[in-house]
Amino acid sequence: MTPDQMIARIWTIRKANPGNLMARHFDEDYFRSLDEPARQRLERIIKTGIENPDSQMGAYAMNPDDYDRFAPMLDPMIRDFHGISAETEIAQKHDWDTGASPCDLGAIDARLKEVSMRVRVARNVGSFPLPGAMNKEQRVALEKLAAQAFARLIEDPAFGGSYFSITPGTANEIDAAEYDRRVKAHQMFKDMSTDRYLNVAGISADWPHGRGMYVSGAEDFLVWVGEEDHLRIMAMQHGGNLNVLFERLRIGLECLQDLLPAFATSPRYGNVTSCPTNLGAGMRASLHMRLPGLTSNGRDLTRLKREAKTLGLAVRGAGGEHSDAGEGGLVDISPSARLGVTEMEIMRRLYDGAAALWAMENA
Ligand code: DAR
């Protein structure tokens, strides 16, 4: 596709898919002001949004410095998605003081002692390209680095556990049956080669090489290797006490930080991630709740999404991104904000939002 053909296609997408932030903020003069190597780099970043017009963001960074190198194009998209005005200075701050503010949903209602909670952070090792631009050797090399770190975690009684690789021929390789079992258990990530957004961006290339998952002995601390980011580090528990959940993540994250090369960070955007939607804290905190009243028993999420949005929450099915509500109105709710908010603000918003939705459900 020539530059003129690409630009014409973007204008068509801008009209037909107004939610596509890449098309909404594409600046032809800026693009044409770039030299050929820079144009090619930017085309790789926005290719997913061109070939998938229904994209929300429509771009994935290929290298940690893309966010600064292509700020005239990416910053307006980032501000639009994260709700940050052009006048506001972006300077990501961090707060992991998990004991400062009690957030125990079980203390609100005993029935909330059973909610399933998960909080994950995305991290990328700064000395590698981001997943969209890695070759197979780099993917396997990164996995080897991560597996060495996990070996140290496995020796630690506070973690223990195992590392499961899906890279053919590796010592920790699991077979297809075990892989499927772990996916069904909501532990391992799904086959990325079926995701058209990730395929176009190159993020799912070389599947399944360089991919795997660490699971702690208690199965409450997991690390995905080689998914949309180099690492997705997560804690998962039942019970409603968000302080305990976040503290588990904080401890595990600090251990990994000490065992791995430096993570990619930006003074403005905080943790650097493949997708601009994950910048900042790089955190998605979520919990599953049964809200049959607010979802017409899972058949219609319209009202719940409307109410949740006023609380700064996003709603999706319990089966992950692009899934429907589960039995009895089982949904996944999570704070939308990730950039410009600290980890503790995210925890508080999840707690306050879940409490408010529970009150609406039982009004
Ligand atoms: N397909 C991408 C998804 C954006 C948010 N979700 C992520 N990063 N998993 C889009 O631009 O729509």
Side-chain angles (χ1 to χ4, degrees):
M1 184 165 27
T2 66
D4 289 348
Q5 289 169 329
M6 185 194 82
I7 292 168
R9 194 153 166 197
I10 290 173
W11 297 152
T12 304
I13 294 170
R14 179 180 283 186
K15 290 194 187 76
N17 302 84
N20 182 315
L21 294 181
M22 178 283 296
R24 181 186 299 176
H25 293 283
F26 182 81
D27 179 333
E28 178 175 359
D29 293 341
Y30 169 66
F31 178 77
R32 292 189 186 279
S33 73
L34 299 172
D35 62 21
E36 189 52 28
R39 281 189 192 183
Q40 287 176 11
R41 268 184 71 174
L42 184 53
E43 283 174 27
R44 274 188 80 177
I45 293 168
I46 65 175
K47 190 176 179 205
T48 186
I50 294 170
E51 298 197 15
N52 298 291
D54 64 342
S55 292
Q56 184 183 25
M57 181 60 78
Y60 289 104
M62 296 289 132
N63 289 285
D65 66 344
D66 282 346
Y67 289 108
D68 294 323
R69 175 70 183 77
F70 297 104
M73 168 80 199
L74 297 178
D75 192 66
M77 294 167 57
I78 290 163
R79 289 175 179 274
D80 192 341
F81 176 85
H82 292 280
I84 300 173
S85 72
E87 298 70 41
T88 306
E89 190 208 346
I90 297 177
Q92 179 62 31
K93 296 196 172 26
H94 299 281
D95 176 4
W96 283 97
D97 185 4
T98 59
S101 164
C103 292
D104 182 0
L105 289 165
I108 296 174
D109 184 320
R111 290 172 291 175
L112 293 176
K113 286 184 185 296
E114 278 320 300
V115 296
S116 150
M117 312 176 293
R118 176 181 289 213
V119 56
R120 66 93 172 133
V121 289
R123 293 294 185 268
N124 291 282
V125 174
S127 50
F128 283 80
L130 292 171
M134 295 172 92
N135 61 35
K136 187 193 283 189
E137 291 67 33
Q138 291 167 323
R139 296 183 198 280
V140 171
L142 180 88
E143 184 190 19
K144 276 200 179 80
L145 266 181
Q148 287 163 1
F150 299 141
R152 301 280 297 283
L153 278 189
I154 290 164
E155 288 167 4
D156 180 341
F159 291 94
S162 307
Y163 178 62
F164 303 111
S165 175
I166 53 176
T167 300
T170 51
N172 315 75
E173 184 187 2
I174 54 174
D175 63 17
E178 178 64 6
Y179 169 75
D180 290 342
R181 188 179 78 77
R182 296 275 178 181
V183 170
K184 288 192 176 68
H186 298 295
Q187 288 183 337
M188 174 65 91
F189 47 98
K190 293 179 274 194
D191 180 347
M192 297 163 68
S193 63
T194 61
D195 184 314
R196 59 189 163 92
Y197 305 94
L198 299 182
N199 283 342
V200 171
I203 293 173
S204 50
D206 309 311
W207 176 267
H209 294 270
R211 276 73 179 208
M213 174 182 72
Y214 161 79
V215 189
S216 67
E219 299 196 345
D220 63 344
F221 181 70
L222 294 83
V223 184
W224 289 352
V225 180
E227 205 246 1
E228 187 179 307
D229 292 287
H230 293 158
L231 302 171
R232 290 289 178 91
I233 303 159
M234 63 192 85
M236 50 205 286
Q237 290 180 6
H238 284 81
N241 188 326
L242 293 172
N243 303 82
V244 171
L245 178 76
F246 274 70
E247 180 65 2
R248 181 65 168 156
L249 175 61
R250 182 191 69 77
I251 294 168
L253 175 61
E254 285 184 4
C255 289
L256 282 175
Q257 266 169 206
D258 294 343
L259 294 169
L260 286 166
F263 293 146
T265 58
S266 150
R268 297 176 73 217
Y269 297 126
N271 292 289
V272 169
T273 54
S274 282
C275 183
T277 63
N278 282 311
L279 287 168
M283 176 179 274
R284 185 176 191 278
S286 63
L287 52 83
H288 291 180
M289 296 178 91
R290 289 195 196 289
L291 300 170
L294 290 173
T295 64
S296 306
N297 210 27
R299 290 186 302 277
D300 181 359
L301 298 187
T302 310
R303 181 188 166 203
L304 175 58
K305 285 187 174 180
R306 187 178 64 249
E307 301 287 3
K309 191 170 178 148
T310 65
L311 298 164
L313 298 174
V315 177
R316 63 192 195 188
E321 198 163 15
H322 314 305
S323 68
D324 296 325
E327 176 265 329
L330 187 66
V331 289
D332 172 302
I333 61 165
S334 70
S336 303
R338 295 179 190 164
L339 175 60
V341 285
T342 66
E343 292 77 10
M344 289 301 98
E345 284 167 335
I346 291 172
M347 179 176 78
R348 188 80 227 180
R349 287 185 190 193
L350 179 56
Y351 173 77
D352 292 342
L357 290 176
W358 187 250
M360 285 179 214
E361 172 71 21
N362 294 284

